[in-house]
Amino acid sequence: MASTGKTYIVEHLDDELGAWSELEYMTIAKESHENGASFFLTSVPASLELPERLKTLPGFVAKPESVEELYPEKSRVCLLDPSATKELAPEDGDTFDVFLFGGILGDDPPRDRTSELRKKGFEGRRLGAMQMTTDTAVRVTRIVTQDRTPLEEIPWIDNPEIKVSRVESVEMPFRYVKGKNGEITVPEGMIDLIKADSEKGFGDLF
Ligand code: SAM
């Protein structure tokens, strides 16, 4: 099985699709498109109004079917699961060609909503002990299985502080990929959204 041409599936599990998810899914679509991979957002109800700039983006495909309807042959699909006992390794790129992620925002402390997908019986792999945003989890899975870089060689930034005003900053309780200039890798527009939302308060959701 070739290491390129993977399919990344985010199973929609939240009731809504808010601004944070919109930016994350736009980024997953763009990066998948640029890297010869496919991205499906699955279990999208007909009643869910998708933002125009998301649904028209090359690389974005929404499907009403669930992942198990699309892939009844479970052995091809790997669930990225923070509670899995095995870490994702480059060789998993030979075993699996579909990688499945929970379409949920991060929360602190994590509520293990990935368990909704675990129940479906897909084999799981972990990306280390720290919680990642969904776009980071897809990016890291691509780096490991397509680029064949082991997890321990990927440079990280954990729990970064984002300056939201002249005097305040907010700590993001996630692991991010460190960019070439030492910056965190986040969707375009995300820092501005974090700044805007910090004025309203995040509650327990990110
Ligand atoms: N706290 C969340 C939960 O309730 O499970 C984690 C949600 S995380 C923002 C969204 C998705 O990214 C997860 O469902 C999982 O597929 C993937 N993910 C995030 N961090 C991961 C990790 N360390 N290992 C494996 N998958 C991870």
Side-chain angles (χ1 to χ4, degrees), residues 78-98:
C78 172
L79 169 65
L80 280 300
D81 180 356
S83 297
T85 50
K86 237 175 140 176
E87 307 291 336
L88 186 75
E91 310 80 78
D92 289 316
D94 296 324
T95 311
F96 305 105
D97 55 1
V98 180

Side-chain angles (χ1 to χ4, degrees), residues 130 155-160 174-179 182-185:
M130 275 202 71
W156 307 117
I157 298 182
D158 296 339
N159 304 313
F174 303 115
R175 165 166 281 185
Y176 296 88
V177 175
K178 191 194 262 189
E183 75 287 5
I184 55 168
T185 308

Side-chain angles (χ1 to χ4, degrees), residues 26-36 135 139 142 185:
M26 285 178 69
T27 300
I28 296 169
K30 270 190 216 154
E31 292 183 3
S32 299
H33 193 62
E34 286 163 8
N35 286 282
D135 64 295
R139 183 173 303 114
R142 193 186 60 244
T185 308

Side-chain angles (χ1 to χ4, degrees), residues 11 23 28 30 48 90 94 97 111 118 137 149 156 175 182 202:
E11 177 97 341
L23 291 186
I28 296 169
K30 270 190 216 154
L48 187 75
D94 296 324
D97 55 1
R111 283 182 295 165
R118 195 178 308 132
T149 302
W156 307 117
R175 165 166 281 185
F202 296 117

